[in-house]
Amino acid sequence: MLMLALAGLAHGVADHASPWWLAASAVLVGALLRGWALVAVPFALAVAFATGRAMLLGAEATSWPSQSFGPAYHNWISLAPYGVLAIGAVTLAANCPARPPRSSTHHGTPRTSATG
């Protein structure tokens, strides 16, 4: 997934994409690097929706400003990496372990019982 996100960011840089698009792509890459699946999900979904808006909503969606929504692709081959990225981010977030329970320590020293 990180490779797909990096490829998307590199493609945006090469195509002189808008600063908003590059920022969203960079946050997505950073979140994946740090293992922050819950942070990556909204960015992965936003990138997938933005690039697939022509296929999902019709050709009139391509008239939306590309400076905020990024490129719009018209074929499934171009959209596949973004869909895989979104599905992968959701899967990672769904498999995130719950926070571990807080230990019963006080300022770093374990509490001891009076009997013990």
Side-chain angles (χ1 to χ4, degrees), residues 18-76:
S18 72
W20 296 110
W21 182 257
L22 293 175
S25 297
V27 169
L28 177 59
V29 168
L32 290 172
L33 278 171
R34 300 285 298 164
W36 297 340
L38 294 175
V39 174
V41 168
F43 288 97
L45 291 174
V47 166
F49 175 74
T51 55
R53 67 186 183 274
M55 295 291 286
L56 296 170
L57 303 174
E60 64 276 357
T62 59
S63 65
W64 297 357
S66 62
Q67 63 269 19
S68 55
F69 289 102
Y73 295 114
H74 299 276
N75 59 38
W76 293 110

